[in-house]
């Protein structure tokens, strides 16, 4: 099934709500979870790192996602740093208030 950028954006916002954010590998694992937290049952295929990186970068530029460096004291990264940093376990991706406001009005796809 082809997933629109708009739905992938909302899926990412949805899974980042759980636990207050995630590092990139955790985000990808949550999207591909076949339980109540994931969206693989709707997508009918695994989400790829390439697809998710592209969408998260769009979301960073749009102000939907912030990236925070957890261990080196840099704190919340500016857009350039967020887009050019290596996304590893040291970086936490989380939703902005604007993204959460959009999620609150979202009519999520049916799981049938």
């Amino acid at each position: 099934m082809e997933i629109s950028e708009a739905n992938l954006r909302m899926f990412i916002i949805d899974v980042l709500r759980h636990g207050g954010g995630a590092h990139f590998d955790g985000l990808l694992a949550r999207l591909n979870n076949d339980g109540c937290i994931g969206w693989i049952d709707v997508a009918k295929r695994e989400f790829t790192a390439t697809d998710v990186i592209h969408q998260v970068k769009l979301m960073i530029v749009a102000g939907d996602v912030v990236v925070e460096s957890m261990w080196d004291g840099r704190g919340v990264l500016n857009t350039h740093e967020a887009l050019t940093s290596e996304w590893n376990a040291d970086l936490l991706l989380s939703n902005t208030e604007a993204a959460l406001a959009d999620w609150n009005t979202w009519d999520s796809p049916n799981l049938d």
Side-chain angles (χ1 to χ4, degrees):
M1 173 182 199
E2 188 62 33
I3 299 296
S4 69
E5 281 190 2
N7 273 334
L8 181 53
R9 174 182 174 261
M10 296 310 293
F11 297 163
I12 291 168
I13 293 169
D14 184 60
V15 300
L16 285 177
R17 292 179 320 111
H18 300 281
H23 57 83
F24 182 76
D25 290 342
L27 168 62
L28 191 58
R30 289 179 189 177
L31 285 168
N32 285 318
N33 182 290
D34 62 1
C36 64
I37 194 172
W39 286 98
I40 196 168
D41 290 340
V42 171
K44 306 291 188 220
R45 65 168 179 84
E46 285 196 5
F47 295 93
T48 67
T50 301
D51 293 339
V52 176
I53 287 170
H54 172 75
Q55 186 62 42
V56 170
K57 286 184 175 185
L58 292 174
M59 294 171 72
I60 290 168
V61 171
D64 290 329
V65 170
V66 294
V67 181
E68 183 177 358
S69 182
M70 301 301 294
W71 309 116
D72 65 6
R74 291 186 294 165
V76 174
L77 304 182
N78 66 41
T79 301
H80 176 74
E81 291 173 320
L83 294 173
T84 59
S85 292
E86 180 182 342
W87 292 357
N88 55 36
D90 293 340
L91 296 182
L92 180 72
L93 307 171
S94 57
N95 291 313
T96 64
E97 291 298 319
L100 291 172
D102 286 349
W103 180 86
N104 281 321
T105 63
W106 178 46
D107 185 20
S108 65
N110 185 331
L111 292 177
D112 295 331

